[in-house]
Amino acid sequence: MGKKLIACLMAALLLCGGVSAWAAAPEVTSQSVCVMDADTGQVLYEKDAKAELPMASITKVMTALLVLENGDLGGTTTATDEALATVDLESTRVGFVAGEQLTIDELMYCMMVYSANDAANILAEAVGGSVDAFVERMNQKAQELGCTHTHFVNPNGLDADGHYTCAYDMALITRAANQYPEFSKYSGATSYSLPSDNVIGEGWQVNTKVDMLDQSKEVYDHRVYAAKTGWTTNAHNTFVACAKTDNGNNLIVTLLNCPMKNGIFTETTALLNYADEEYPAVTVAAGDYEKEAQKAAKEAGVKTDTSVLEDFTLHLPKCVTAENLAYRCDVEGDEASLQVTVASDSRKAYEQETGQSGDEPLLSIPLTVEAMTDTDEKAVDDAPASGLLGLLHGLPQIAQDAIRVAAIVLCAIVIMIVLLFLLGLYRRIKRAQMRRRNKAKYHHNHSKRR
């Protein structure tokens, strides 16, 4: 009976404490890591994701993005001495020569499948007019995408002073490139046969360096549909991958400074498994956050048309639910957006599980706003609360804290009452057992005397 009582007490404590059966994030050797939702841009998990590190050939993702945005994939160009002059002859290259007439399409395949540095430079000159001008556009594009820890010196990724990025920025760049269907066509191909041209009479085949795409390799992962590897002496192994998981999640994984080649593949698979299993998709209906949007807009000095709000979906760790989300309105000029974050009282648990503080927006929702009038402010203030949660949010912070403390105390009292009841029940059972044993002993002794 004693063991059963202890088990009951432990179960009660676990239920009250809300202990989560959360699976720990996989151990990864890569120095900088980011896992991002490719559809929304939400960061699911990160490890030192803002560390500035050399990037090697994943630089070519930005080169590909600018070609996809500004180049003519059906067009042609001619290799020049200027474009080839800065390509290290000991680095990965196809061996194009000045005067060789090439299509943009084949150059993209050579750059993304084989990681050819000469192809990257020829593309840069074809789109930018010169390699240097193209590099300037690379840095401009990085700023447009919100990259704050990235600077490019060349379009191919060869080691150079001032050429660096971070896992988070590379996820932003990869997400932007992934908006173009052609990106996965080039970076998801396992091989490519070069056509003949005015220099070579017969083409040859180049093969991917991404073993995850090759079904014959042990590290093959059917979920990965686009990827790019990188390696230099300074950068070590770097990697970006786009994957559609079995649960329908569209994810981006970026890794920097991984000490082992196969590590970029095995760690990507582990991170995909972790994100898919431990970050379920949570959909929040428009009606469930409408009042929060109104309140946030009012605090920012504007009002919003909540009739145009739509449901949104986030990937949240199991320790966080839709009830743990918070909302604020950011206003810039005539534009405003609703920033969805983790509520302050849930950020500690969120940070422990995701490596993120939780104060950064998980999602930004554009708002249709106009100036707030006195009548509008009164309407928002007088709006009835929706349920207990709405009532709490409508109270001053000190009142909310008092109610939370009272709830905890009440919970503790209930547990104490349950424990005392169980203890009393246990004692009554023991006394009854003792009486039965004494009675049986008495009858036994009495029968012997007779």
Side-chain angles (χ1 to χ4, degrees), residues 250-312:
N250 195 15
L251 303 177
I252 293 171
V253 177
T254 57
L255 306 172
L256 293 175
N257 192 20
C258 182
M260 298 177 293
K261 177 185 177 182
N262 270 4
I264 56 178
F265 305 133
T266 57
E267 290 178 9
T268 294
T269 290
L271 288 165
L272 288 174
N273 293 340
Y274 168 68
D276 209 32
E277 294 168 5
E278 303 300 333
Y279 287 76
V282 176
T283 298
V284 181
D288 292 340
Y289 72 95
E290 178 181 359
K291 188 176 185 299
E292 292 289 346
Q294 288 178 329
K295 180 180 177 182
K298 175 209 164 182
E299 291 175 350
V302 296
K303 70 174 181 177
T304 182
D305 181 5
T306 56
S307 66
V308 300
L309 294 177
E310 297 180 351
D311 301 352
F312 67 82

Side-chain angles (χ1 to χ4, degrees), residues 312-360:
F312 67 82
T313 299
L314 291 172
H315 292 277
L316 298 176
K318 293 177 180 177
C319 65
V320 175
T321 69
E323 300 296 324
N324 304 120
L325 297 177
Y327 304 84
R328 74 167 188 265
C329 180
D330 289 349
V331 180
E332 292 186 10
D334 296 331
E335 297 182 353
S337 59
L338 186 68
Q339 307 299 323
V340 184
T341 64
V342 177
S344 57
D345 56 359
S346 301
R347 288 178 184 172
K348 183 177 180 180
Y350 182 81
E351 183 173 9
Q352 288 175 342
E353 308 300 353
T354 68
Q356 303 175 79
S357 65
D359 58 346
E360 292 293 327

Side-chain angles (χ1 to χ4, degrees), residues 81 90 183 193 262 273 296 302 308 401 411 415 439:
D81 286 324
E90 299 299 320
F183 178 73
S193 296
N262 270 4
N273 293 340
V302 296
V308 300
D401 293 340
C411 181
I415 290 177
K439 186 175 181 181

Side-chain angles (χ1 to χ4, degrees), residues 54-291:
M55 65 191 99
S57 282
I58 60 174
T59 297
K60 296 179 173 79
V61 176
M62 174 60 94
T63 303
L65 170 58
L66 289 179
V67 173
L68 292 172
E69 282 187 345
N70 305 286
D72 177 9
L73 297 178
T76 60
T77 190
T78 302
T80 67
D81 286 324
E82 290 77 15
L84 300 173
T86 56
V87 177
D88 185 348
L89 297 181
E90 299 299 320
S91 69
T92 301
R93 61 194 183 94
V94 171
F96 295 121
V97 297
E100 191 165 357
Q101 295 174 1
L102 306 160
T103 67
I104 302 300
D105 184 67
E106 70 177 294
L107 287 167
M108 287 287 281
Y109 273 116
C110 290
M111 181 177 70
M112 299 307 290
V113 175
Y114 190 57
S115 198
N117 295 317
D118 48 0
N121 275 32
I122 296 168
L123 284 167
E125 186 178 74
V127 173
S130 71
V131 173
D132 289 342
F134 185 84
V135 171
E136 288 183 13
R137 294 173 71 171
M138 294 173 75
N139 288 312
Q140 290 171 0
K141 187 63 181 180
Q143 288 185 331
E144 291 175 14
L145 295 175
C147 301
T148 56
H149 298 275
T150 295
H151 186 263
F152 296 100
V153 174
N154 59 58
N156 49 55
L158 291 172
D159 285 333
D161 292 339
H163 192 82
Y164 58 84
T165 190
C166 67
Y168 174 72
D169 285 359
M170 274 313 305
L172 292 177
I173 295 167
T174 304
R175 181 177 178 238
N178 198 41
Q179 305 298 316
Y180 294 87
E182 294 85 0
F183 178 73
S184 59
K185 181 184 83 168
Y186 296 121
S187 58
T190 56
S191 63
Y192 175 70
S193 296
L194 280 79
S196 59
D197 57 32
N198 65 316
V199 172
I200 60 171
E202 183 178 352
W204 64 91
Q205 181 172 290
V206 294
N207 298 307
T208 184
K209 299 175 182 292
V210 184
D211 290 350
M212 293 189 83
L213 296 171
D214 189 342
Q215 296 187 38
S216 67
K217 303 294 185 180
E218 185 178 352
V219 292
Y220 169 73
D221 193 320
H222 70 279
R223 298 170 296 185
V224 176
Y225 61 86
K228 183 72 191 75
T229 59
W231 182 89
T232 65
T233 303
N234 290 335
H236 300 116
N237 294 283
T238 62
F239 193 51
V240 300
C242 303
K244 182 77 76 171
T245 70
D246 296 333
N247 289 338
N249 299 323
N250 195 15
L251 303 177
I252 293 171
V253 177
T254 57
L255 306 172
L256 293 175
N257 192 20
C258 182
M260 298 177 293
K261 177 185 177 182
N262 270 4
I264 56 178
F265 305 133
T266 57
E267 290 178 9
T268 294
T269 290
L271 288 165
L272 288 174
N273 293 340
Y274 168 68
D276 209 32
E277 294 168 5
E278 303 300 333
Y279 287 76
V282 176
T283 298
V284 181
D288 292 340
Y289 72 95
E290 178 181 359
K291 188 176 185 299

